[in-house]
Amino acid sequence: MIKKWFEIPLWQRVIGALILGIIVGRLWGPDAESIKIIGDVFVASIRMLVVPLIFFSLVSGVAAIGDLRKLGNVGGRALLLFIVTGQIAVWLGLALGTFVGPGLGVDTSAIEMGAVPTPNETTWRDMLLSVIPESPVQVMADVAVLPLIVFSMLLGIGILMAKEDGEPVQKIFDSGAIIMQKVTILVMELTPFGVFALMAWVAGTLGFDALVALAKLVALNYIGCLLIILVMYSAMIKFLAKLPVIDFFRGIIDAIAVSYSTASSNATLPVTLRCTQRNLGVSPSVSSFVVSLGATINMNGTAMYLGLATLFGAQIFGVELTLAQYFLISILSTLGAIGAAGIPGAGLIMMALVFGAVGVPLETIAFVAGVDRIMDMMRTTTNVSGDAAVATTVASMTNEIDREEMVSADDV
Ligand code: ASP
């Protein structure tokens, strides 16, 4: 029985739990609130991972940029493309959220509110100071993600500067990052139960309009991701890489299938590498550097989603956002996408970072967690296609691509 349970792929168990949760919630009504605790345990377990996950994966990611010098201009171009496409993605999410308003008109009075983060009246001075960690330990205890990111980056740079002397510590962080990913996989096994309970709660207590709002959010997530893939990446391949778009997508079809079903950029990494090298003709050095780095820091689907989800949370809870806060969301979503590990549910974990800074109630996380997996699958496909697109573009710009190989890839 237990063996049978684990034989079913996690995403199928999650979808099953989602459907069952909605049915049970609709039949059960407001009393379904009684099982929300299971969902809360799930969300709390995810939140528990935020600090160690960012700390280990960011330090080890920055330290891995040791290759940056070796690869010289390849690294610079890749980083520029990562940042520019990431920003376009976040603003697309913000635009979709603003113009469609997926969270408007939802009655959330049935949601029992915990502490609502109150964003301080901040000046630029305060904001600047707040990202400098007063004490790294304090920062971790407070789950203050932004200063944690700053500290982690500095530590990574320090490791790089220490050269051979830094290697033992770098190894510890590399291994810590791998261990944290395993711990996350463990916590993700709670997903079907958490999703079931959260969906039953949403469907039972919040009524039909809440389900409609969630459906709109899922639809917008798919539309945003498809726009990124079909418009932004196609334009990049056509105009920057100057290569045939159809051949590009044909070449990465395996990576698309694997990323959609696993919802993990990391798990897809070997396939993405194989696709870019074998089917697209990108040189091994460029592809291994750009694709591996991209799997950790280049997440346009996640960046778009973080922007969209923040607006969704603000809309369902009636939080007014100023233009300055939009800019803050765009910066934090980009950082969140960089800090998110390439594993299932990482985007959900990063929501706390953005929400807290602009005063969107963290209850939103529980509200959307039930449908996160379906959105995660599409986000991951977007992230992985982006890694391949940047690797191909940079390779083309630096003459590190075998064009014959790409165009003649019949055996894709
Ligand atoms: N699952 C995504 C990835 O691996 C990250 C996310 O949750 O957005 O790329």
Side-chain angles (χ1 to χ4, degrees):
M1 170 89 178
I2 291 183
K3 206 169 141 226
K4 280 236 169 69
W5 170 257
F6 285 108
E7 269 168 13
I8 309 170
L10 183 63
W11 69 272
Q12 288 179 10
R13 281 182 271 154
V14 171
I15 305 248
L18 179 116
I19 296 168
L20 207 65
I22 296 179
I23 297 171
V24 170
R26 294 306 293 170
L27 295 176
W28 199 356
D31 285 344
E33 166 117 48
S34 56
I35 56 165
K36 179 171 174 270
I37 177 72
I38 303 173
D40 290 341
V41 167
F42 166 59
V43 175
S45 319
I46 291 181
R47 276 206 227 141
M48 162 184 83
L49 304 175
V50 174
V51 167
L53 204 56
I54 294 184
F55 187 50
F56 283 109
S57 56
L58 211 59
V59 174
S60 110
V62 173
I65 302 185
D67 294 329
L68 196 66
R69 277 182 227 139
K70 203 172 71 198
L71 286 176
N73 56 6
V74 171
R77 280 169 218 247
L79 284 181
L80 189 69
L81 281 173
F82 287 167
I83 292 169
V84 172
T85 53
Q87 273 298 305
I88 295 175
V90 185
W91 284 99
L92 173 68
L94 288 172
L96 287 173
T98 307
F99 294 120
V100 181
L104 293 176
V106 180
D107 177 10
T108 49
S109 52
I111 298 182
E112 210 177 289
M113 300 292 284
V116 179
T118 33
N120 304 327
E121 283 292 317
T122 39
T123 62
W124 278 107
R125 281 160 207 256
D126 297 337
M127 224 144 92
L128 197 65
L129 273 180
S130 73
V131 298
I132 312 292
E134 231 177 274
S135 138
V137 180
Q138 178 85 42
V139 159
M140 289 186 196
D142 292 346
V143 199
V145 179
L146 208 49
L148 179 62
I149 288 179
V150 171
F151 179 67
S152 308
M153 283 190 176
L154 283 175
L155 205 60
I157 294 170
I159 290 175
L160 277 185
M161 289 168 69
K163 299 209 173 91
E164 296 89 62
D165 288 338
E167 275 167 16
V169 174
Q170 181 174 353
K171 282 220 174 74
I172 291 176
F173 277 94
D174 289 347
S175 128
I178 296 170
I179 292 170
M180 281 315 299
Q181 287 178 16
K182 301 284 180 226
V183 175
T184 308
I185 290 169
L186 223 61
V187 169
M188 282 297 137
E189 283 298 330
L190 295 176
T191 313
F193 308 101
V195 163
F196 171 77
L198 290 170
M199 286 319 290
W201 162 66
V202 170
T205 57
L206 295 179
F208 198 63
D209 55 352
L211 290 180
V212 173
L214 282 180
K216 279 194 211 158
L217 179 70
V218 174
L220 283 181
N221 174 78
Y222 272 74
I223 292 171
C225 284
L226 285 173
L227 282 174
I228 293 174
I229 295 176
L230 298 178
V231 180
M232 186 159 78
Y233 297 162
S234 296
M236 201 152 101
I237 294 298
K238 190 167 168 35
F239 299 112
L240 290 180
K242 304 207 167 33
L243 293 167
V245 175
I246 299 287
D247 289 330
F248 169 74
F249 285 115
R250 216 158 47 113
I252 61 163
I253 197 83
D254 289 352
I256 289 179
V258 175
S259 57
Y260 192 76
S261 49
T262 59
S264 165
S265 297
N266 283 1
T268 317
L269 187 61
V271 186
T272 324
L273 283 173
R274 185 175 169 277
C275 286
T276 44
Q277 293 175 15
R278 191 161 166 271
N279 303 342
L280 302 177
V282 176
S283 76
S285 71
V286 169
S287 80
S288 54
F289 173 67
V290 177
V291 173
S292 323
L293 186 64
T296 324
I297 67 169
N298 180 42
M299 297 200 179
N300 297 330
T302 308
M304 189 280 304
Y305 176 67
L306 287 174
L308 174 63
T310 311
L311 289 194
F312 181 76
Q315 287 159 1
I316 57 173
F317 289 106
V319 178
E320 295 283 334
L321 295 172
T322 62
L323 189 62
Q325 282 173 318
Y326 267 63
F327 279 96
L328 188 60
I329 297 171
S330 87
I331 295 169
L332 291 178
S333 300
T334 310
L335 286 175
I338 292 173
I343 50 175
L348 188 70
I349 300 175
M350 287 301 147
M351 282 179 164
L353 153 72
V354 193
F355 289 1
V358 292
V360 169
L362 296 180
E363 277 71 15
T364 312
I365 301 178
F367 190 65
V368 300
V371 285
D372 187 66
R373 180 69 181 206
I374 316 174
M375 298 191 281
D376 194 3
M377 293 159 76
M378 193 64 213
R379 293 201 298 262
T380 310
T381 300
T382 313
N383 297 344
V384 166
S385 314
D387 300 336
V390 171
T392 308
T393 305
V394 171
S396 170
M397 287 169 150
T398 50
N399 275 331
E400 289 271 354
I401 195 165
D402 180 351
R403 283 167 194 262
E404 289 302 309
E405 181 81 20
M406 176 173 184
V407 183
S408 66
D410 299 326
D411 55 341
V412 172

